[in-house]
Amino acid sequence: FSLNSHADWQKTDYSTMGTNILVEVYHKDAALREQATRAVFAEMERINQQFSTYIDSSELSQLNQNAYKNRVIVSKELFDLLVLSAEISELTQGAFDVTYASVGYLYSYPDKVKPSDEEIQQRLSAIDYRLLELKKDDLSVRYKNPNVKVDLGGVAKGYAVDNAIKILKSLGIEHALVTAGGDTRLLGDRLGKPWIVGIRDPRNRDKQAVLIPLAESAMSTSGDYERYFEENGERFHHIISPKTGKSTHEVQSVSIIGPESVYNDALSTAVFVMGLEKGIGLINGLPEFEAIVMDKQRRMHYSSGLGQ
Ligand code: ADP
Ligand code: MG
Ligand code: MG
């Protein structure tokens, strides 16, 4: 917990959900800034305990263990996230799919572990969001195939950032930035100026490829550099095509700008999988969202609303 305040701003970083969280809040009352910052981290921690697939007792891990054998009653919160995820799957023709984890769980990036082609083939049919039976009347979930696994890594950080902004607002904060990994949301502006949100150069950690001025908005970036390993010159990274069970290589980075982080997060992952043309095509059809894509040749592409 590193706290360093100056003037009426407090900027704090923290680590949870397997990523770095950054919170910047403005308020005259230092105690309130401190309280607000702590409330955000507590919320992130709560979401991690509930939805992490690395924590065996989490609600999501329990669902993964039991939902093929028995219909499982879940929290309204998990149910709603699964419904939202299924809606994004429909919208993206299955490019975004939380059941990617049916194969995705076989990868371990820090250990350079990947499944064989045979293992992928055995499990690929379990990647299909339509295998999740979601019953609204009793908030129950059943998996229709024994190999189904769900992971919310493609939306949970965006969801957490949205919740954080709600908490800050409810405490009377009017200017803030919350970032969780690649997901950033801004509350208000930076006192008369926009916030400047960077898109990292996918091949140079210390460099920003693009800087975007934003206020009262949000942006999420998905890149092939967050979690990956290389073997024989091939990059195996954490964004998996539901069609192949393998990472995709048409683009290096996708950023989505839109009002809410949960959608930006899911759509950035989806557009990454869809690739340049289909991905930007999708975003051009959604008036609330814009996209910035770096392709595999490191050329930049922008959706029509960004006026290139
Ligand atoms: P980050 O984890 O850096 O925020 P993303 O928002 O792009 O990056 O999310 C990538 C994560 O999404 C992966 O680590 C994995 O948990 C999950 N994921 C990977 N492929 C898919 C997919 N096709 N659909 C949904 N989620 C996915
Ligand atoms: Mg995402
Ligand atoms: Mg994300």
Side-chain angles (χ1 to χ4, degrees):
F1 215 88
S2 68
L3 300 176
N4 48 74
S5 330
H6 52 90
D8 295 327
W9 288 96
Q10 178 170 327
K11 187 172 171 177
T12 313
D13 46 66
Y14 184 73
S15 181
T16 187
M17 303 198 293
T19 198
N20 295 320
I21 315 291
L22 175 67
V23 176
E24 243 179 290
V25 291
Y26 172 84
H27 202 279
K28 296 262 178 233
D29 179 347
L32 183 73
R33 295 199 296 267
E34 175 70 27
Q35 181 200 350
T37 302
R38 286 184 185 279
V40 165
F41 295 146
E43 173 64 3
M44 303 260 174
E45 206 51 74
R46 185 191 69 78
I47 289 172
N48 188 50
Q49 291 295 324
Q50 192 164 344
F51 300 133
S52 171
T53 52
Y54 297 102
I55 299 172
D56 213 51
S57 60
S58 76
E59 185 181 20
L60 183 55
S61 293
Q62 290 300 311
L63 183 70
N64 279 332
Q65 284 170 36
N66 297 307
Y68 176 68
K69 289 164 273 166
N70 306 298
R71 174 167 289 290
V72 176
I73 310 281
V74 298
S75 63
K76 172 93 168 63
E77 194 177 13
L78 176 52
F79 192 85
D80 288 348
L81 270 173
L82 292 173
V83 169
L84 182 145
S85 297
E87 286 166 5
I88 303 283
S89 299
E90 290 282 336
L91 181 70
T92 62
Q93 295 160 351
F96 181 85
D97 191 326
V98 292
T99 66
Y100 89 90
S102 307
V103 172
Y105 91 101
L106 296 169
Y107 291 87
S108 175
Y109 303 95
D111 311 321
K112 303 190 176 205
V113 170
K114 62 173 168 35
S116 67
D117 286 346
E118 294 72 42
E119 286 172 301
I120 293 176
Q121 285 319 313
Q122 273 166 19
R123 290 172 186 272
L124 200 53
S125 62
I127 303 185
D128 187 343
Y129 62 97
R130 288 161 295 204
L131 294 170
L132 305 179
E133 200 174 272
L134 307 172
K135 272 208 180 156
K136 221 169 94 193
D137 29 303
D138 62 352
L139 301 182
S140 70
V141 180
R142 193 178 69 88
Y143 295 175
K144 296 187 216 171
N145 173 307
N147 291 330
V148 170
K149 290 207 177 348
V150 167
D151 190 299
L152 295 173
V155 273
K157 283 176 234 154
Y159 173 71
V161 167
D162 286 338
N163 281 6
I165 292 289
K166 277 185 207 141
I167 288 170
L168 293 176
K169 270 192 195 167
S170 75
L171 290 169
I173 303 287
E174 292 174 351
H175 306 273
L177 169 148
V178 179
T179 295
D183 302 294
T184 297
R185 185 163 166 184
L186 301 324
L187 177 57
D189 63 3
R190 211 173 188 293
L191 302 188
K193 291 180 286 185
W195 296 90
I196 306 295
V197 184
I199 299 174
R200 193 183 285 167
D201 183 328
R203 296 296 174 267
N204 185 347
R205 283 218 148 252
D206 307 319
K207 249 177 77 184
Q208 308 278 10
V210 188
L211 296 173
I212 313 282
L214 291 172
E216 193 60 36
S217 184
M219 180 170 84
S220 289
T221 299
S222 290
D224 64 6
Y225 51 87
E226 282 290 348
R227 255 176 293 152
Y228 73 97
F229 64 90
E230 278 175 328
E231 207 180 88
N232 304 325
E234 201 183 333
R235 179 179 285 248
F236 296 89
H237 65 79
H238 68 142
I239 302 172
I240 304 290
S241 163
K243 283 192 192 136
T244 62
K246 296 180 180 179
S247 50
T248 62
H249 301 279
E250 209 189 305
V251 301
Q252 293 185 357
S253 161
V254 173
S255 302
I256 301 291
I257 300 169
E260 285 179 76
S261 288
V262 69
Y263 292 106
N264 296 343
D265 193 358
L267 287 172
S268 64
T269 306
V271 168
F272 197 104
V273 170
M274 293 170 91
L276 182 62
E277 273 177 40
K278 276 184 89 180
I280 291 221
L282 172 76
I283 298 302
N284 283 341
L286 302 174
E288 287 195 303
F289 297 95
E290 300 299 340
I292 301 166
V293 179
M294 187 188 273
D295 70 19
K296 61 170 178 257
Q297 276 97 30
R298 298 173 55 78
R299 284 182 304 230
M300 303 301 302
H301 304 265
Y302 301 84
S303 59
S304 50
L306 293 174
Q308 279 300 297

